[in-house]
Amino acid sequence: MLTAVALSLAVLAPAAPAAPPAASHPILGIWKLTLPDGSCSETYRFRGDGTTLVTSAAEVSESRFDIPPKPSAKGFYKLVDRYVKGNGKEDCAGAVMKPDASVTHFVHFHPSGTLFVMCAAESFEACIGPFRRVAGQGI
């Protein structure tokens, strides 16, 4: 996972997990982010049980995520992601996830539901993306 970016956006999160998202939540499914130069891609599988499977370069990791059912008044969902385990290999940024890492991002979906950006705050000033929905694959 673009760990260098992700960790620079890190915010301490509460330890208690929330309930899994509703089956209709827009985050659920498979999303792909490709670096602008095309040299590396990350695939995020947001599953209905509140877990995520991420592949990024040689890295394969799992995490638990919390996300509210509705966006804020500004249109962003607060996504708290807690690393659970991984294979200890480098991601697209050349970094290795640390055990028990927790990051908070703010996700904003395009009206089409097929794209989102992940931001450091509820603004578009420091974001990565777009993440594109991968259609036709199970999660």
Side-chain angles (χ1 to χ4, degrees):
M1 297 184 301
L2 298 172
T3 306
V5 173
L7 290 179
S8 70
L9 304 177
V11 176
L12 293 177
S24 60
H25 200 288
I27 196 76
L28 296 180
I30 302 172
W31 299 89
K32 188 172 186 176
L33 171 69
T34 301
L35 294 180
D37 66 3
S39 64
C40 195
S41 293
E42 298 183 346
T43 302
Y44 289 65
R45 289 169 175 82
F46 288 96
R47 301 181 285 209
D49 64 357
T51 64
T52 307
L53 175 66
V54 178
T55 56
S56 175
E59 177 194 45
V60 178
S61 66
E62 291 186 46
S63 62
R64 292 207 55 78
F65 70 94
D66 296 328
I67 192 166
K70 301 282 184 197
S72 70
K74 294 181 178 182
F76 289 85
Y77 290 85
K78 180 180 180 181
L79 173 66
V80 179
D81 198 36
R82 283 179 281 298
Y83 177 79
V84 176
K85 65 181 177 177
N87 63 359
K89 298 188 178 184
E90 292 183 355
D91 63 15
C92 285
V96 176
M97 286 296 295
K98 303 286 186 223
D100 299 321
S102 179
V103 295
T104 299
H105 300 286
F106 295 88
V107 175
H108 191 280
F109 289 91
H110 184 271
S112 70
T114 62
L115 304 167
F116 74 79
V117 292
M118 192 179 288
C119 306
E122 289 189 278
S123 78
F124 296 108
E125 292 183 28
C127 302
I128 58 172
F131 290 78
R132 298 179 186 281
R133 185 178 292 281
V134 178
Q137 296 186 21
I139 57 171

